[in-house]
Amino acid sequence: MVRRGLVLGCGGTVGGAWTVGALAGVRRDLRWDPREADVIVGTSAGATIAALLGAGVGVDELLAAHRGEPGARDAVRRFCTEPPAALPRVPLGLPAAPRLVPAGVRRRLPLLALAGLAPPGRTDPSFLDALVAGLGDGWVSHPATWLVAVDTASGDRVAFGAPGAPPATLRDAVRASWAIPGWYPPVTINGRRYLDGGAASTASVDLLAAHGLDEVVLIAPMAGPRGPGLGGRVEGLLRGPMTRRLEHEVTAVEATGTRVLRLHPTTAELAVMGPNFMHPGRRRAALNAALTHVSPRNHHA
């Protein structure tokens, strides 16, 4: 039996919808239910989908939720069809995580350093709480569901739910992984503060390098080529460093003998998705683009 991991990267509202469409392509072409992954790793938007899969929500329910159909439980449907606004409340104050600046410089992670300069986010993340409450009490039932955030004091990534990780409630872990610098506020867990794991890595696939898996399915909506036009150039300021970091991580995983099946949007898909990955009006277009174009056969890199 193939031991397979599933890694879901950051991507906001639009990238999350694209990820659901990509999961449908994975299930179709691999004839495999993503809920059966030996390990599920999620970052930011990928963390919410990882939590959903880990709680037993399947691809059909995720598709129904995005389409507003009755085949999805209410909390999941509301989360998918009533996403947050396209822009945050204006952040105020001094940098929320200044220690990330030297950590990012030292590790040659420019986005981590920039995250350290961002003021505290002031946008309300309670929409995440409603989703988590709809999944039941406690952690999800899948025995290896990991949600990635960044420790603001050290710059280290923490995969909540993984062996040796600090204990956390599902609500706090999801909030921490979603805490986009300057957009949502940092989350305090056991006396330490955390921000969005995407500040350090778009997907953190390298966390599975020593896990002894045969294959990892990596879905990374913020990796790959940049989109067209001026918007694509601006969005590419994030996408470029994230892609380069991801390539190093994939190399590290493959060096252990694990095959990585990498999926990311093409330029044509990005033209449909737009440069603002939090834009709620692009959600259905992103889902349909992935359903039309994504196949493990033609996205393997």
Side-chain angles (χ1 to χ4, degrees):
M1 173 180 275
V2 175
R3 297 193 68 237
R4 182 179 281 142
L6 176 65
V7 177
L8 308 173
C10 64
T13 296
V14 180
W18 183 88
T19 296
V20 169
L23 285 169
V26 166
R27 184 185 62 172
R28 179 194 65 233
D29 289 0
L30 300 185
R31 298 181 181 179
W32 174 69
D33 188 333
R35 293 174 293 182
E36 297 176 355
D38 289 87
V39 187
I40 305 174
V41 181
T43 300
S44 198
T48 48
I49 300 174
L52 287 163
L53 293 170
V57 177
V59 172
D60 286 337
E61 184 172 356
L62 290 171
L63 290 171
H66 272 282
R67 292 165 174 162
E69 297 173 352
R73 64 198 79 182
D74 289 343
V76 181
R77 185 169 60 250
R78 286 196 302 271
F79 174 76
C80 293
T81 58
E82 300 173 15
L87 297 173
R89 293 184 65 187
V90 177
L92 298 174
L94 297 174
R99 293 185 183 180
L100 292 182
V101 177
V105 171
R106 187 170 59 253
R107 300 175 192 186
R108 298 182 180 180
L109 297 175
L111 297 184
L112 185 65
L114 289 173
L117 297 174
R122 299 195 305 132
T123 306
D124 182 8
S126 60
F127 71 100
L128 297 169
D129 303 345
L131 173 67
V132 171
L135 299 180
D137 297 328
W139 200 258
V140 296
S141 57
H142 190 287
T145 301
W146 304 355
L147 311 182
V148 182
V150 170
D151 186 318
T152 62
S154 66
D156 294 337
R157 289 170 291 163
V158 174
F160 293 106
T169 65
L170 183 63
R171 171 188 177 274
D172 285 348
V174 168
R175 274 193 173 215
S177 193
W178 254 89
I180 303 169
W183 200 302
Y184 295 107
V187 175
T188 300
I189 300 174
N190 297 319
R192 299 187 73 87
R193 298 204 308 165
Y194 296 91
L195 284 172
D196 187 334
S201 170
T202 190
S204 288
V205 66
D206 58 323
L207 296 182
L208 296 182
H211 212 70
L213 299 169
D214 299 305
E215 182 175 82
V216 171
V217 176
L218 166 62
I219 300 178
M222 286 298 294
R226 74 183 185 197
L230 178 60
R233 288 177 180 270
V234 174
E235 190 256 358
L237 296 176
L238 292 175
R239 182 176 295 277
M242 286 183 171
T243 301
R244 289 190 291 273
R245 165 73 179 181
L246 187 65
E247 289 170 351
H248 287 297
E249 294 180 4
V250 168
T251 298
V253 174
E254 291 181 331
T256 68
T258 299
R259 177 175 180 257
V260 178
L261 187 66
R262 183 170 61 182
L263 309 177
H264 56 68
T266 63
T267 302
E269 290 165 83
L270 290 171
V272 173
M273 297 162 72
N276 181 356
F277 266 43
M278 292 297 288
H279 197 306
R282 298 277 187 163
R283 176 183 59 83
R284 286 293 296 271
L287 174 69
N288 291 333
L291 289 171
T292 301
H293 297 290
V294 175
S295 167
R297 296 191 184 97
N298 58 31
H299 279 65
H300 184 209

PDB file of all heavy atoms in Angstrom, residues 237-258:
ATOM      1  N   LEU A 237       5.201  39.499  -6.228  1.00  0.00           N
ATOM      2  CA  LEU A 237       6.159  39.828  -5.168  1.00  0.00           C
ATOM      3  C   LEU A 237       6.040  38.858  -4.001  1.00  0.00           C
ATOM      4  O   LEU A 237       6.997  38.659  -3.247  1.00  0.00           O
ATOM      5  CB  LEU A 237       5.932  41.268  -4.691  1.00  0.00           C
ATOM      6  CG  LEU A 237       6.181  42.366  -5.732  1.00  0.00           C
ATOM      7  CD1 LEU A 237       5.820  43.731  -5.171  1.00  0.00           C
ATOM      8  CD2 LEU A 237       7.625  42.343  -6.210  1.00  0.00           C
ATOM      9  N   LEU A 238       4.877  38.269  -3.828  1.00  0.00           N
ATOM     10  CA  LEU A 238       4.695  37.195  -2.850  1.00  0.00           C
ATOM     11  C   LEU A 238       4.970  35.837  -3.482  1.00  0.00           C
ATOM     12  O   LEU A 238       5.666  34.999  -2.913  1.00  0.00           O
ATOM     13  CB  LEU A 238       3.268  37.214  -2.299  1.00  0.00           C
ATOM     14  CG  LEU A 238       2.853  38.382  -1.424  1.00  0.00           C
ATOM     15  CD1 LEU A 238       1.367  38.262  -1.085  1.00  0.00           C
ATOM     16  CD2 LEU A 238       3.681  38.433  -0.157  1.00  0.00           C
ATOM     17  N   ARG A 239       4.430  35.639  -4.645  1.00  0.00           N
ATOM     18  CA  ARG A 239       4.503  34.329  -5.304  1.00  0.00           C
ATOM     19  C   ARG A 239       5.944  33.922  -5.618  1.00  0.00           C
ATOM     20  O   ARG A 239       6.307  32.743  -5.466  1.00  0.00           O
ATOM     21  CB  ARG A 239       3.666  34.356  -6.589  1.00  0.00           C
ATOM     22  CG  ARG A 239       3.618  33.037  -7.340  1.00  0.00           C
ATOM     23  CD  ARG A 239       2.678  33.135  -8.536  1.00  0.00           C
ATOM     24  NE  ARG A 239       1.310  33.339  -8.065  1.00  0.00           N
ATOM     25  CZ  ARG A 239       0.511  32.351  -7.671  1.00  0.00           C
ATOM     26  NH1 ARG A 239       0.929  31.107  -7.704  1.00  0.00           N
ATOM     27  NH2 ARG A 239      -0.698  32.611  -7.261  1.00  0.00           N
ATOM     28  N   GLY A 240       6.766  34.878  -6.033  1.00  0.00           N
ATOM     29  CA  GLY A 240       8.143  34.540  -6.389  1.00  0.00           C
ATOM     30  C   GLY A 240       8.928  33.940  -5.226  1.00  0.00           C
ATOM     31  O   GLY A 240       9.444  32.821  -5.327  1.00  0.00           O
ATOM     32  N   PRO A 241       9.043  34.665  -4.087  1.00  0.00           N
ATOM     33  CA  PRO A 241       9.778  34.083  -2.947  1.00  0.00           C
ATOM     34  C   PRO A 241       9.147  32.798  -2.429  1.00  0.00           C
ATOM     35  O   PRO A 241       9.868  31.879  -2.018  1.00  0.00           O
ATOM     36  CB  PRO A 241       9.717  35.198  -1.896  1.00  0.00           C
ATOM     37  CG  PRO A 241       9.496  36.455  -2.661  1.00  0.00           C
ATOM     38  CD  PRO A 241       8.665  36.067  -3.848  1.00  0.00           C
ATOM     39  N   MET A 242       7.826  32.731  -2.438  1.00  0.00           N
ATOM     40  CA  MET A 242       7.165  31.514  -1.961  1.00  0.00           C
ATOM     41  C   MET A 242       7.512  30.329  -2.860  1.00  0.00           C
ATOM     42  O   MET A 242       7.762  29.220  -2.371  1.00  0.00           O
ATOM     43  CB  MET A 242       5.650  31.714  -1.917  1.00  0.00           C
ATOM     44  CG  MET A 242       5.178  32.597  -0.784  1.00  0.00           C
ATOM     45  SD  MET A 242       3.369  32.734  -0.743  1.00  0.00           S
ATOM     46  CE  MET A 242       3.139  33.573   0.830  1.00  0.00           C
ATOM     47  N   THR A 243       7.545  30.551  -4.157  1.00  0.00           N
ATOM     48  CA  THR A 243       7.866  29.473  -5.092  1.00  0.00           C
ATOM     49  C   THR A 243       9.302  29.009  -4.936  1.00  0.00           C
ATOM     50  O   THR A 243       9.582  27.801  -4.928  1.00  0.00           O
ATOM     51  CB  THR A 243       7.608  29.939  -6.537  1.00  0.00           C
ATOM     52  OG1 THR A 243       6.229  30.309  -6.676  1.00  0.00           O
ATOM     53  CG2 THR A 243       7.930  28.835  -7.535  1.00  0.00           C
ATOM     54  N   ARG A 244      10.218  29.953  -4.793  1.00  0.00           N
ATOM     55  CA  ARG A 244      11.626  29.575  -4.636  1.00  0.00           C
ATOM     56  C   ARG A 244      11.842  28.781  -3.348  1.00  0.00           C
ATOM     57  O   ARG A 244      12.575  27.779  -3.337  1.00  0.00           O
ATOM     58  CB  ARG A 244      12.507  30.826  -4.663  1.00  0.00           C
ATOM     59  CG  ARG A 244      12.599  31.470  -6.041  1.00  0.00           C
ATOM     60  CD  ARG A 244      13.649  32.549  -6.092  1.00  0.00           C
ATOM     61  NE  ARG A 244      13.275  33.730  -5.307  1.00  0.00           N
ATOM     62  CZ  ARG A 244      12.539  34.736  -5.782  1.00  0.00           C
ATOM     63  NH1 ARG A 244      12.077  34.698  -7.032  1.00  0.00           N
ATOM     64  NH2 ARG A 244      12.269  35.776  -5.025  1.00  0.00           N
ATOM     65  N   ARG A 245      11.216  29.215  -2.283  1.00  0.00           N
ATOM     66  CA  ARG A 245      11.330  28.478  -1.022  1.00  0.00           C
ATOM     67  C   ARG A 245      10.745  27.074  -1.176  1.00  0.00           C
ATOM     68  O   ARG A 245      11.332  26.079  -0.717  1.00  0.00           O
ATOM     69  CB  ARG A 245      10.590  29.246   0.074  1.00  0.00           C
ATOM     70  CG  ARG A 245      10.307  28.472   1.350  1.00  0.00           C
ATOM     71  CD  ARG A 245      11.552  28.270   2.178  1.00  0.00           C
ATOM     72  NE  ARG A 245      11.232  27.547   3.407  1.00  0.00           N
ATOM     73  CZ  ARG A 245      12.107  27.228   4.341  1.00  0.00           C
ATOM     74  NH1 ARG A 245      13.364  27.578   4.207  1.00  0.00           N
ATOM     75  NH2 ARG A 245      11.744  26.574   5.416  1.00  0.00           N
ATOM     76  N   LEU A 246       9.605  26.980  -1.836  1.00  0.00           N
ATOM     77  CA  LEU A 246       8.956  25.689  -2.005  1.00  0.00           C
ATOM     78  C   LEU A 246       9.824  24.737  -2.819  1.00  0.00           C
ATOM     79  O   LEU A 246       9.882  23.532  -2.522  1.00  0.00           O
ATOM     80  CB  LEU A 246       7.591  25.871  -2.676  1.00  0.00           C
ATOM     81  CG  LEU A 246       6.717  24.619  -2.758  1.00  0.00           C
ATOM     82  CD1 LEU A 246       6.314  24.156  -1.365  1.00  0.00           C
ATOM     83  CD2 LEU A 246       5.487  24.884  -3.608  1.00  0.00           C
ATOM     84  N   GLU A 247      10.510  25.254  -3.829  1.00  0.00           N
ATOM     85  CA  GLU A 247      11.369  24.396  -4.641  1.00  0.00           C
ATOM     86  C   GLU A 247      12.487  23.777  -3.808  1.00  0.00           C
ATOM     87  O   GLU A 247      12.820  22.594  -3.975  1.00  0.00           O
ATOM     88  CB  GLU A 247      11.935  25.201  -5.811  1.00  0.00           C
ATOM     89  CG  GLU A 247      10.875  25.526  -6.866  1.00  0.00           C
ATOM     90  CD  GLU A 247      11.354  26.513  -7.906  1.00  0.00           C
ATOM     91  OE1 GLU A 247      12.453  27.087  -7.716  1.00  0.00           O
ATOM     92  OE2 GLU A 247      10.630  26.724  -8.897  1.00  0.00           O
ATOM     93  N   HIS A 248      13.050  24.545  -2.893  1.00  0.00           N
ATOM     94  CA  HIS A 248      14.072  23.996  -1.986  1.00  0.00           C
ATOM     95  C   HIS A 248      13.471  22.905  -1.104  1.00  0.00           C
ATOM     96  O   HIS A 248      14.101  21.863  -0.860  1.00  0.00           O
ATOM     97  CB  HIS A 248      14.666  25.104  -1.118  1.00  0.00           C
ATOM     98  CG  HIS A 248      15.584  26.034  -1.851  1.00  0.00           C
ATOM     99  ND1 HIS A 248      16.763  25.615  -2.427  1.00  0.00           N
ATOM    100  CD2 HIS A 248      15.494  27.364  -2.098  1.00  0.00           C
ATOM    101  CE1 HIS A 248      17.370  26.648  -3.003  1.00  0.00           C
ATOM    102  NE2 HIS A 248      16.622  27.718  -2.821  1.00  0.00           N
ATOM    103  N   GLU A 249      12.272  23.132  -0.620  1.00  0.00           N
ATOM    104  CA  GLU A 249      11.617  22.151   0.246  1.00  0.00           C
ATOM    105  C   GLU A 249      11.316  20.863  -0.517  1.00  0.00           C
ATOM    106  O   GLU A 249      11.519  19.760   0.002  1.00  0.00           O
ATOM    107  CB  GLU A 249      10.330  22.730   0.819  1.00  0.00           C
ATOM    108  CG  GLU A 249      10.553  23.903   1.768  1.00  0.00           C
ATOM    109  CD  GLU A 249       9.258  24.448   2.314  1.00  0.00           C
ATOM    110  OE1 GLU A 249       8.190  23.878   2.016  1.00  0.00           O
ATOM    111  OE2 GLU A 249       9.294  25.443   3.055  1.00  0.00           O
ATOM    112  N   VAL A 250      10.823  21.001  -1.727  1.00  0.00           N
ATOM    113  CA  VAL A 250      10.522  19.815  -2.538  1.00  0.00           C
ATOM    114  C   VAL A 250      11.798  19.015  -2.782  1.00  0.00           C
ATOM    115  O   VAL A 250      11.802  17.780  -2.698  1.00  0.00           O
ATOM    116  CB  VAL A 250       9.861  20.228  -3.871  1.00  0.00           C
ATOM    117  CG1 VAL A 250       9.801  19.049  -4.840  1.00  0.00           C
ATOM    118  CG2 VAL A 250       8.452  20.757  -3.608  1.00  0.00           C
ATOM    119  N   THR A 251      12.891  19.708  -3.084  1.00  0.00           N
ATOM    120  CA  THR A 251      14.171  19.024  -3.285  1.00  0.00           C
ATOM    121  C   THR A 251      14.573  18.243  -2.043  1.00  0.00           C
ATOM    122  O   THR A 251      15.051  17.098  -2.131  1.00  0.00           O
ATOM    123  CB  THR A 251      15.264  20.039  -3.647  1.00  0.00           C
ATOM    124  OG1 THR A 251      14.914  20.688  -4.880  1.00  0.00           O
ATOM    125  CG2 THR A 251      16.617  19.360  -3.808  1.00  0.00           C
ATOM    126  N   ALA A 252      14.382  18.841  -0.863  1.00  0.00           N
ATOM    127  CA  ALA A 252      14.736  18.167   0.390  1.00  0.00           C
ATOM    128  C   ALA A 252      13.893  16.920   0.606  1.00  0.00           C
ATOM    129  O   ALA A 252      14.395  15.876   1.057  1.00  0.00           O
ATOM    130  CB  ALA A 252      14.577  19.125   1.566  1.00  0.00           C
ATOM    131  N   VAL A 253      12.611  16.995   0.278  1.00  0.00           N
ATOM    132  CA  VAL A 253      11.726  15.839   0.447  1.00  0.00           C
ATOM    133  C   VAL A 253      12.093  14.743  -0.544  1.00  0.00           C
ATOM    134  O   VAL A 253      12.195  13.556  -0.185  1.00  0.00           O
ATOM    135  CB  VAL A 253      10.249  16.256   0.287  1.00  0.00           C
ATOM    136  CG1 VAL A 253       9.335  15.032   0.318  1.00  0.00           C
ATOM    137  CG2 VAL A 253       9.847  17.228   1.392  1.00  0.00           C
ATOM    138  N   GLU A 254      12.320  15.119  -1.794  1.00  0.00           N
ATOM    139  CA  GLU A 254      12.644  14.114  -2.809  1.00  0.00           C
ATOM    140  C   GLU A 254      13.988  13.449  -2.543  1.00  0.00           C
ATOM    141  O   GLU A 254      14.200  12.299  -2.931  1.00  0.00           O
ATOM    142  CB  GLU A 254      12.609  14.763  -4.195  1.00  0.00           C
ATOM    143  CG  GLU A 254      11.196  15.162  -4.622  1.00  0.00           C
ATOM    144  CD  GLU A 254      11.137  15.770  -5.999  1.00  0.00           C
ATOM    145  OE1 GLU A 254      12.145  16.385  -6.429  1.00  0.00           O
ATOM    146  OE2 GLU A 254      10.078  15.650  -6.649  1.00  0.00           O
ATOM    147  N   ALA A 255      14.893  14.155  -1.866  1.00  0.00           N
ATOM    148  CA  ALA A 255      16.193  13.575  -1.541  1.00  0.00           C
ATOM    149  C   ALA A 255      16.071  12.400  -0.576  1.00  0.00           C
ATOM    150  O   ALA A 255      16.978  11.571  -0.486  1.00  0.00           O
ATOM    151  CB  ALA A 255      17.108  14.641  -0.946  1.00  0.00           C
ATOM    152  N   THR A 256      14.962  12.318   0.130  1.00  0.00           N
ATOM    153  CA  THR A 256      14.739  11.197   1.060  1.00  0.00           C
ATOM    154  C   THR A 256      14.092  10.000   0.368  1.00  0.00           C
ATOM    155  O   THR A 256      13.844   8.981   1.012  1.00  0.00           O
ATOM    156  CB  THR A 256      13.840  11.637   2.229  1.00  0.00           C
ATOM    157  OG1 THR A 256      12.506  11.894   1.749  1.00  0.00           O
ATOM    158  CG2 THR A 256      14.386  12.886   2.905  1.00  0.00           C
ATOM    159  N   GLY A 257      13.791  10.132  -0.929  1.00  0.00           N
ATOM    160  CA  GLY A 257      13.157   9.042  -1.660  1.00  0.00           C
ATOM    161  C   GLY A 257      11.661   9.159  -1.779  1.00  0.00           C
ATOM    162  O   GLY A 257      11.009   8.283  -2.370  1.00  0.00           O
ATOM    163  N   THR A 258      11.092  10.228  -1.262  1.00  0.00           N
ATOM    164  CA  THR A 258       9.655  10.456  -1.363  1.00  0.00           C
ATOM    165  C   THR A 258       9.339  11.219  -2.647  1.00  0.00           C
ATOM    166  O   THR A 258       9.932  12.263  -2.915  1.00  0.00           O
ATOM    167  CB  THR A 258       9.146  11.259  -0.153  1.00  0.00           C
ATOM    168  OG1 THR A 258       9.388  10.515   1.044  1.00  0.00           O
ATOM    169  CG2 THR A 258       7.654  11.537  -0.265  1.00  0.00           C
TER     170      THR A 258
END
